[in-house]
Amino acid sequence: MKALRATAWVLAAAVLVGGWVYFYLSSRAVDLGAHTRALAALRSLAEIDHRWDGVARAVQAGETPPAVDFAAGQREAAQILARGLGASDPATGQSVAALRRAFDEKAELGPKLVAAGASYLAVLKEFEAARAALGVALADEPPAPKGGTPPYLQFADQALRVEALALRFAATPGSDAARALTAAAGEFAGAGAPEPLAGPVARFADASRALAAAGLQRGQSLDEFANVSTGPRLDTLSRVLERDYGNAIADAERYRVYLLFYSGFLLVVIGYYAWKLAESLRTIRRINVELQDANETLEQRVDERTRELSDAMQRLKQSEAMLIQSEKMSSLGQMVAGVAHEVNTPLAYVKSSLDAVDTRLPEIADMAAETDRLLGMLERADADEDTLAAQFAKVTGLVSGMKSHDALGELRSLVGDGRHGIQRISEIVTSLRDFSRLDRSKIAEFDVNEGIESTLVIGRNVLKGKHVRKELGRLPRIECMPSQLNQVFLNLVTNAAQATPEQGGEIVVRTRVEDPGHVAVDVIDNGHGIPPEIRKKIFDPFFTTKEVGKGTGLGLSICYKIVESHGGRIDVQSDVGKGTRFTVVLPVKSRLEAEAA
């Protein structure tokens, strides 16, 4: 038995030591520099892709594209991808290779796209010149015989038809429109124009056919360029890097906890039974004291219970007001959740940059100290030459080390990342201030479109995965309580997001002028709709179709009271299975002066 117990203790000690070594090796620091370099590489690739897409947008708009060296961009992207992105996922290597192929393909298609756009612009210019020349020729029409038809009337009508088809093709290019334009141009060219019109007619017909061919070539080049998937691949790689980095940090923290647990495990085992015994003694003593107190203070406890019941009754009377306040705070909670989600990403940039800068500061401080020591030795006349040469060599080595890994360039890049993150946080704080209107009086002039923009920024976390389309018209500024109207907009947009499906959810926010004295805001969704028997109850307090604990039923009721206090109204239209439209109509001139006074 003793041998068995000794063996068990030895095995337990071996398990503890082995576990400690394993968790120590697993809790080593994460390579922050590699993660920062990978993010910088992705940003550089995104900038290259954005420049290339700018060429496509210019060609599609019929403008002269900016000068872009696709070959240089291809070489730069290849150099960035050749260094790798440092992700631990085995599938990332395949994604990087696919991204590199996409960049190569896009670089090859870029010059073709630029050439197609230039050819289209040249043909369009020739078409305009041919149309002008034909117009001049038609203007020189000889007089019609008495009672007869003007000699050029047929050709003028055919020219107008070809011109209309050319304009339609330029507006909506397609194979059908191109065939129609080519056919009309051929008919026009073969109509047998008289000698004064023969040259202009042939030139106009040739220019029309060339326009159709160049337009089709441009459209094909645009489609081929747009079908090369680079942006989605960059987004996928960015998410993979963030996931790997977060997993590495989480694993390191978890293993540190395990390490502490194993280190204290023996102490916990030794003290366990002593603690159980002491706890049992304390429990017995506490029960005896409680029994004595219960016997001595029974009447006092009855009085206290009575007072507690009275307090509970008072709290019950206040519950309705507290529920209303909780509904208001839910809007604040959504706002805080959205702001926290939006701030975390740029805050990670700033933290990563500052951590990396902090790791470089000791190296710069050492170089400054050694340089100062060298200068001090040079100022002394009695300095030993060997010591001076050794110090000079040391300073030269530090400087060469900094140059070899471009420490100053890396610091500048990290500071730039930090500034970018701080600028993003500043923009979010500005949207938060505009949403809450804490720096304005209670009643103020308010730009409804500005409130919609701030609301959509604050509620971005709720709207994630939804397609939100803004149709903001030109509105006059209205007099109102801005913070209350922002609460109404946030509640309606949140309800629309919750009513739409996870995939394919669409929300339209439209502003318009209802009449000279009122403006209107429409919030439209393609959700499940509201049945007629429920529609007439949605503005009643405490009415909700959500599960217990997920809604107070006060959101739309509070919105209704806010809009009504401003002298406006809320209308609702809904088709079951198709969607719902909420319309908020507000007066331009405030009706709150009396209440505020």
Side-chain angles (χ1 to χ4, degrees):
M1 293 298 294
K2 291 182 179 181
L4 290 176
R5 284 198 297 269
T7 303
W9 280 108
V10 171
L11 289 175
V15 169
L16 288 174
V17 172
W20 189 91
V21 172
Y22 171 77
F23 291 127
Y24 172 78
L25 295 177
S26 301
S27 63
R28 289 182 298 178
V30 181
D31 190 355
L32 179 61
H35 179 68
T36 302
R37 289 190 295 273
L39 292 179
L42 285 180
R43 284 195 297 273
S44 299
L45 292 173
E47 291 175 1
I48 296 172
D49 189 57
H50 181 72
R51 289 198 302 270
W52 291 359
D53 288 342
V55 174
R57 288 192 295 270
V59 171
Q60 187 173 17
E63 302 171 354
T64 301
V68 174
D69 190 346
F70 285 93
Q74 181 182 11
R75 289 193 298 271
E76 183 180 355
Q79 291 174 358
I80 293 172
L81 291 172
R83 292 193 293 266
L85 298 177
S88 61
D89 188 358
T92 305
Q94 299 177 0
S95 300
V96 171
L99 181 62
R100 182 171 185 174
R101 290 193 298 271
F103 267 95
D104 291 342
E105 184 178 356
K106 208 165 188 179
E108 293 177 359
L109 293 175
K112 298 179 182 178
L113 176 62
V114 173
S119 175
Y120 177 78
L121 291 177
V123 170
L124 183 61
K125 185 176 180 180
E126 169 60 18
F127 174 80
E128 294 293 338
R131 182 176 62 178
L134 181 61
V136 172
L138 289 173
D140 293 336
E141 179 181 13
K146 187 175 181 178
T149 303
Y152 290 176
L153 179 60
Q154 171 190 355
F155 300 100
D157 291 341
Q158 289 182 345
L160 288 175
R161 179 171 175 266
V162 173
E163 182 179 354
L165 290 174
L167 293 176
R168 188 181 71 177
F169 174 74
T172 57
S175 58
D176 293 338
R179 284 194 295 270
L181 176 58
T182 303
E187 293 176 3
F188 186 45
E195 182 62 28
L197 288 180
V201 166
R203 181 183 178 186
F204 183 68
D206 292 341
S208 300
R209 287 191 287 263
L211 179 64
L216 286 177
Q217 181 62 35
R218 184 191 67 158
Q220 181 180 359
S221 297
L222 283 171
D223 292 341
E224 292 176 351
F225 193 82
N227 288 334
V228 180
S229 176
T230 52
R233 294 182 187 276
L234 286 172
D235 294 339
T236 301
L237 282 175
S238 178
R239 288 192 295 270
V240 168
L241 290 175
E242 292 295 340
R243 182 199 63 197
D244 289 349
Y245 183 68
N247 291 341
I249 292 178
D251 290 342
E253 292 296 330
R254 185 171 65 254
Y255 282 119
R256 289 190 186 100
V257 173
Y258 293 162
L259 181 63
L260 292 176
F261 172 79
Y262 267 87
S263 300
F265 180 75
L266 288 178
L267 293 177
V268 172
V269 172
I270 293 173
Y272 175 77
Y273 289 103
W275 174 81
K276 289 292 291 182
L277 179 60
E279 183 67 19
S280 299
L281 293 175
R282 284 194 298 271
T283 301
I284 294 172
R285 291 173 183 172
R286 186 177 65 254
I287 292 174
N288 291 334
V289 172
E290 288 175 355
L291 288 174
Q292 293 176 1
D293 292 339
N295 291 331
E296 295 173 357
T297 61
L298 182 58
E299 184 176 354
Q300 180 180 357
R301 293 178 63 188
V302 170
D303 293 338
E304 291 176 355
R305 180 63 64 183
T306 303
R307 286 195 298 271
E308 289 176 0
L309 291 175
S310 299
D311 293 340
M313 183 65 70
Q314 185 66 25
R315 287 193 298 270
L316 185 61
K317 292 179 181 179
Q318 298 172 354
S319 62
E320 182 177 359
M322 292 174 65
L323 283 173
I324 294 175
Q325 182 66 19
S326 70
E327 181 65 25
K328 294 180 180 179
M329 292 302 292
S330 69
S331 297
L332 178 61
Q334 294 173 4
M335 179 179 66
V336 170
V339 171
H341 178 77
E342 293 298 320
V343 168
N344 276 339
T345 299
L347 191 60
Y349 291 161
V350 177
K351 182 178 182 300
S352 297
S353 299
L354 291 179
D355 289 343
V357 169
D358 186 58
T359 60
R360 289 298 184 190
L361 288 179
E363 181 179 354
I364 296 176
D366 289 344
M367 187 186 71
E370 296 299 333
T371 303
D372 184 64
R373 188 174 301 147
L374 176 62
L375 292 175
M377 295 173 64
L378 290 173
E379 290 176 355
R380 293 196 303 269
D382 57 346
D384 182 49
E385 291 185 1
D386 294 337
T387 305
L388 185 61
Q391 184 64 24
F392 182 78
K394 187 174 184 180
V395 172
T396 303
L398 291 174
V399 172
S400 299
M402 291 189 64
K403 287 182 178 179
S404 64
H405 55 255
D406 192 16
L408 294 179
E410 184 177 355
L411 288 176
R412 281 193 294 270
S413 175
L414 292 171
V415 170
D417 291 343
R419 286 178 178 173
H420 175 71
I422 291 172
Q423 183 180 1
R424 285 284 306 278
I425 294 173
S426 176
E427 292 173 356
I428 295 168
V429 171
T430 300
S431 297
L432 176 61
R433 185 197 65 188
D434 291 340
F435 179 84
S436 60
R437 301 285 171 161
L438 296 177
D439 58 343
R440 303 192 181 183
S441 57
K442 212 170 189 184
I443 299 176
E445 288 191 352
F446 178 54
D447 186 344
V448 175
N449 289 338
E450 181 182 336
I452 294 293
E453 295 283 2
S454 299
T455 299
L456 293 178
V457 172
I458 297 302
R460 188 178 299 169
N461 192 41
V462 179
L463 298 172
K464 187 180 299 181
K466 313 294 182 182
H467 176 65
V468 180
R469 189 171 77 250
K470 297 180 290 185
E471 299 177 1
L472 306 182
R474 298 187 62 179
L475 303 180
R477 298 176 72 87
I478 68 173
E479 296 177 354
C480 63
M481 295 183 182
S483 60
Q484 290 190 359
L485 289 188
N486 282 335
Q487 181 182 354
V488 172
F489 299 152
L490 181 61
N491 198 311
L492 293 179
V493 170
T494 301
N495 287 348
Q498 294 172 350
T500 54
E502 292 295 333
Q503 300 294 332
E506 183 174 349
I507 300 172
V508 180
V509 181
R510 179 185 300 131
T511 60
R512 52 189 171 83
V513 176
E514 178 77 4
D515 55 56
H518 295 80
V519 299
V521 179
D522 296 324
V523 179
I524 309 168
D525 64 69
N526 64 341
H528 47 68
I530 305 174
E533 63 273 12
I534 295 178
R535 198 179 308 158
K536 56 187 176 183
K537 301 178 182 180
I538 59 176
F539 295 112
D540 294 344
F542 305 109
F543 177 79
T544 179
T545 58
K546 299 177 181 177
E547 299 178 5
V548 177
K550 293 187 177 181
T552 61
L554 294 173
L556 288 177
S557 176
I558 293 175
C559 291
Y560 185 86
K561 291 180 181 179
I562 290 175
V563 174
E564 186 180 38
S565 68
H566 282 75
R569 72 178 190 275
I570 297 184
D571 299 329
V572 58
Q573 300 175 3
S574 183
D575 292 331
V576 177
K578 295 183 178 180
T580 304
R581 175 202 298 262
F582 279 91
T583 302
V584 179
V585 181
L586 297 166
V588 176
K589 293 297 181 181
S590 174
R591 303 183 185 180
L592 298 170
E593 287 87 348
E595 178 182 347

